[in-house]
Amino acid sequence: MSSLPPTSADAPVPPDQFPGFVDRVFAHLQRADQRRWGHAYLLGLLTTPGKKTVRRLAAAVTDSPTASQSLQQFVNSSPWEWEPVRHEVARWAEERLRPRAWTIATTVLPKRGDHSCGVHRRFVPRLGQTVNCQVGVGLFLSDGGSAVSVDWRLHLPARWMLPHLRQQVRIPDDIRPQPVWSDAFDMVDRLRRHAGVTPLPLVADLRDGRRAGDLVRLLARQRNDFVVAVSADFPVLPLNAAGRAPYSPTAPGIRHGLPSAGVVRAGSVVGGCLRGTHLNAGAPADLVHLTAAATPGVRERRVYRLFTDRRRPSVVWITNMVRHRAAELSSLVGCWTGTADAVRDLRQDFGLLDFEGRSYPGWHHYMTLVAAAHAYRTLLGSPPRSPARELEPVPA
């Protein structure tokens, strides 16, 4: 590894953990200048207060007049693969965090103009207005108290598949528009198959998605445990809706013999819970089938469980973990709640909203660096400091 970029002459030498972290996550980069500028960019994200523009990041780590151009090229033009970096961050984070769940979070990234990849007009209920934005879908590792992001997807509306727009922002030929649930499944599947981390239950909020059932079916088919928030009108079939004897697992807190004869809304099945008694307060949950994807009203054979949690009593959750105790399911819901705090930290302290480029590879490079910086700070505490050495300009 080449010498570290400098700040002021009186800055202390960084702790040993940071060089080791950088060497590990960028180990697959073959070029020394790529590893060097990756080191500088991470250091800038960790030590630059406020807005994370390229100029401010460069000024925080070096006096070189060409550093900002080199950092910008490293993110927007340099042809390095981001997925191996993310998988290494995931392995590194798993060793320190001891996660209990994988969680999904969707975040709106407001943008000016319409030239950045994936930008579109979107109504945001939290803001109560339509905004010009990108939408990022993140996969996190969570232990219930802390969460770190290990993968990201950029939501691409259909118009970005037009040939001239694809070429303009360098969208790869194999990328197609996908709903949020599909992005979520793809990230989970790739993390499980390629990163070598331990599979964990997935916790996600898909209340705004129209096809949450597709993700539920795919996860169940892969035998991946999950706890997914769905809309109150999500269609289900109570367990004895087809005249069958009710399912009777040995787990506590399950009601038998649901008196329904057809497809109902998930919110009505757990209606008693929605009125003020919730799963982790000892109320019963409800067992259901999903309707068959091709034939509405026809049940599928798998059994799922609906419940609510007292921390968010209006949210209906569905899970395939039908034999787990109420406290375990409530704890997983807590992992999802903690992920919202991680997204807030990424926005406020790590530049999640500050990407200045327009390209698809640039967005993924930047999100990878932001995720790595956040993981380092979350799991190792205080930020590193730069030694007082010169960073020689690296030719573009």
Side-chain angles (χ1 to χ4, degrees), residues 100-331:
R100 299 180 53 252
W102 296 346
T103 58
I104 296 291
T106 302
T107 184
V108 172
L109 312 171
K111 302 293 290 186
R112 293 181 179 179
D114 57 1
H115 298 294
S116 296
C117 183
V119 163
H120 60 287
R121 300 285 293 172
R122 187 184 191 90
F123 179 76
V124 181
R126 176 177 57 85
L127 302 176
Q129 60 181 343
T130 300
V131 299
N132 206 54
C133 65
Q134 295 170 317
V135 174
V137 185
L139 175 63
F140 292 72
L141 304 186
S142 174
D143 67 354
S146 301
V148 295
S149 61
V150 295
D151 204 358
W152 284 92
R153 292 291 184 274
L154 177 62
H155 176 67
L156 294 173
R159 83 176 188 92
W160 283 96
M161 296 299 102
L162 296 174
H164 71 284
L165 292 179
R166 292 185 73 112
Q167 183 177 13
Q168 179 180 314
V169 297
R170 292 183 286 143
I171 299 175
D173 293 338
D174 60 340
I175 299 299
R176 294 291 181 268
Q178 296 190 96
V180 169
W181 69 264
S182 183
D183 281 327
F185 179 78
D186 182 58
M187 287 189 291
V188 168
D189 188 52
R190 296 185 75 83
L191 186 66
R192 181 177 55 238
R193 289 190 295 112
H194 300 303
V197 298
T198 303
L200 294 170
L202 177 70
V203 186
D205 181 1
L206 294 183
R207 285 175 292 169
D208 293 335
R210 296 182 179 181
R211 301 183 62 182
D214 292 325
L215 176 61
V216 168
R217 291 184 182 92
L218 282 172
L219 291 171
R221 194 176 304 159
Q222 295 284 349
R223 298 185 178 181
N224 199 124
D225 288 342
F226 62 84
V227 175
V228 173
V230 295
S231 64
D233 60 358
F234 183 76
V236 295
L237 279 162
L239 199 62
N240 62 347
R244 297 170 58 88
Y247 179 69
S248 301
T250 58
I254 294 180
R255 182 164 61 203
H256 308 301
L258 300 175
S260 177
V263 178
V264 298
R265 299 187 306 165
S268 66
V269 176
V270 291
C273 296
L274 294 177
R275 285 193 291 271
T277 55
H278 316 293
L279 182 144
N280 61 347
D286 297 293
L287 298 177
V288 297
H289 296 294
L290 296 188
T291 59
T295 312
V298 176
R299 68 177 178 85
E300 290 186 340
R301 296 184 61 183
R302 291 185 178 89
V303 176
Y304 303 92
R305 183 177 185 179
L306 294 178
F307 66 94
T308 62
D309 183 82
R310 65 184 175 187
R311 285 166 294 194
R312 290 178 177 264
S314 62
V315 180
V316 179
W317 299 85
I318 188 169
T319 179
N320 61 343
M321 303 167 67
V322 297
R323 296 182 182 273
H324 286 66
R325 293 182 177 276
E328 296 177 66
L329 298 179
S330 179
S331 178

Side-chain angles (χ1 to χ4, degrees), residues 378-395:
T378 300
L379 301 180
L380 288 184
S382 60
R385 300 288 182 182
S386 300
R389 303 180 192 172
E390 279 300 320
L391 173 64
E392 295 298 330
V394 177

Side-chain angles (χ1 to χ4, degrees), residues 59-78:
V61 299
T62 181
D63 295 327
S64 169
T66 62
S68 61
Q69 179 184 3
S70 296
L71 289 177
Q72 183 175 4
Q73 290 176 340
F74 171 70
V75 169
N76 290 300
S77 303
S78 185

